[in-house]
Amino acid sequence: MSELKVNSIKGVSASSAAISINNTDGTCTANLTNRTNKNLVINGDFRIAQRATSSTTSGIATVDRFGMYHTGVDEAPTQAQGSVTSGGAYDSGFRNCLKVTNGNQTSGGGSAKYIWIQSLFEAQDIANSGWNYTSTSSFITVQFWVKSSVAQNFYGYVRTVDGSNYLYPFETGSLSANTWTKVTKTIPGNSNLTFDNDTGHGFQINIFPYLGTGYTGSISLNTWSAYNSSVRVPDYTATWYTTDDATFELTGVQIEVSDHATSFQFRSYAE
């Protein structure tokens, strides 16, 4: 009988092994892309909107699990369960989105102003996800589709809430107006991260159509740093914010334990 002895099995262009083998006991760890419930985000395709389909209220008022928050505005923006009808997101199977329509912000940008999209996660969902979050060799990958009626760059971050708070800021890159763009960010673990095994708030993803200068400043993108409420992302241009009735749309939000993005996990309405 023949026998093959290896340490791991890796794709030709892959950055990590598909199967890693323990040389002592022979057990293996597999990086599966078709596992059940790989997406840590609930309602990332925005199919569910139990509260309403449109609202000017700040908070979770339309699509489930995601809130649109605003403060300091001259006219309240509208959050809605929007329809995806064409473009890359449509071709990838998405039919709904979270759509933010800006009001008429006559006084312009300001330090304490923002329009903010956020989703929160229980700490136990991260602690039990399989992510070795204190290791720089273990990763989560964030992906989403985004569309803006105004061509510009936008920012966001993921943040840990247990222990010493840390955040990982990122950018969308310069978006072309009215064009769906897929954004993917692969995020390593960090020795400073903590997640309690409980139902408390432990993790969040934040994406900003606009964030005022009271929350922005000099900060490095695509790296973990200690959370500072006064400097979360780099300074924003106010172009989108000062454009009457500008729109910002988001869909296909997925966070998975992987060093690369896999196909979005679509779930049934009942699930």
Side-chain angles (χ1 to χ4, degrees):
M1 184 178 73
S2 61
E3 185 177 44
L4 178 65
K5 294 184 177 181
V6 296
N7 294 317
S8 64
I9 298 175
K10 182 189 295 186
V12 174
S13 301
S15 60
S16 63
I19 300 176
S20 299
I21 299 170
N22 186 311
N23 290 327
T24 302
D25 60 17
T27 59
C28 70
T29 301
N31 181 15
L32 302 175
T33 60
N34 61 344
R35 59 192 182 275
T36 302
N37 296 331
K38 67 179 179 180
N39 191 0
L40 299 175
V41 179
I42 297 174
N43 200 35
D45 58 358
F46 301 101
R47 292 182 66 191
I48 312 300
Q50 299 182 85
R51 294 164 178 81
T53 56
S54 181
S55 176
T56 56
T57 300
S58 179
I60 302 176
T62 57
V63 294
D64 287 31
R65 309 292 296 200
F66 283 79
M68 185 278 291
Y69 301 86
H70 56 79
T71 193
V73 297
D74 300 302
E75 180 182 352
T78 299
Q79 59 170 302
Q81 183 189 42
S83 296
V84 178
T85 59
S86 63
Y90 182 89
D91 295 341
S92 296
F94 299 100
R95 297 297 181 266
N96 295 107
C97 65
L98 171 57
K99 182 176 183 178
V100 177
T101 303
N102 192 15
N104 185 359
Q105 311 306 340
T106 55
S107 63
S111 63
K113 298 181 179 182
Y114 58 71
I115 299 177
W116 183 342
I117 297 170
Q118 182 184 73
S119 184
L120 306 180
F121 301 77
E122 292 183 4
Q124 65 180 355
D125 290 340
I126 308 300
N128 294 283
S129 67
W131 181 30
N132 185 8
Y133 48 82
T134 60
S135 170
T136 58
S137 299
S138 185
F139 303 86
I140 57 170
T141 295
V142 177
Q143 62 175 290
F144 56 87
W145 286 90
V146 61
K147 183 171 77 168
S148 166
S149 62
V150 175
Q152 70 167 71
N153 187 27
F154 296 88
Y155 296 103
Y157 62 81
V158 296
R159 175 188 167 194
T160 68
V161 179
D162 290 329
S164 298
N165 290 198
Y166 273 74
L167 83 167
Y168 189 101
F170 55 80
E171 62 184 350
T172 64
S174 183
L175 303 182
S176 298
N178 299 307
T179 302
W180 281 109
T181 300
K182 187 176 181 180
V183 177
T184 301
K185 302 294 177 181
T186 296
I187 301 173
N190 183 282
S191 60
N192 296 293
L193 306 188
T194 300
F195 295 101
D196 298 332
N197 190 21
D198 60 25
T199 60
H201 169 205
F203 187 69
Q204 56 185 232
I205 182 169
N206 306 274
I207 299 172
F208 305 98
Y210 178 70
L211 193 61
T213 55
Y215 311 96
T216 66
S218 178
I219 188 171
S220 297
L221 295 172
N222 304 315
T223 188
W224 288 103
S225 59
Y227 175 73
N228 178 352
S229 62
S230 299
V231 183
R232 309 182 192 201
V233 297
D235 289 338
Y236 250 78
T237 175
T239 307
W240 183 92
Y241 184 75
T242 55
T243 300
D244 290 355
D245 296 325
T247 58
F248 185 92
E249 297 171 77
L250 179 71
T251 195
V253 186
Q254 178 158 289
I255 301 177
E256 60 186 307
V257 180
S258 175
D259 65 354
H260 61 283
T262 67
S263 58
F264 184 85
Q265 183 181 29
F266 289 95
R267 296 170 179 162
S268 69
Y269 188 93
E271 287 179 297

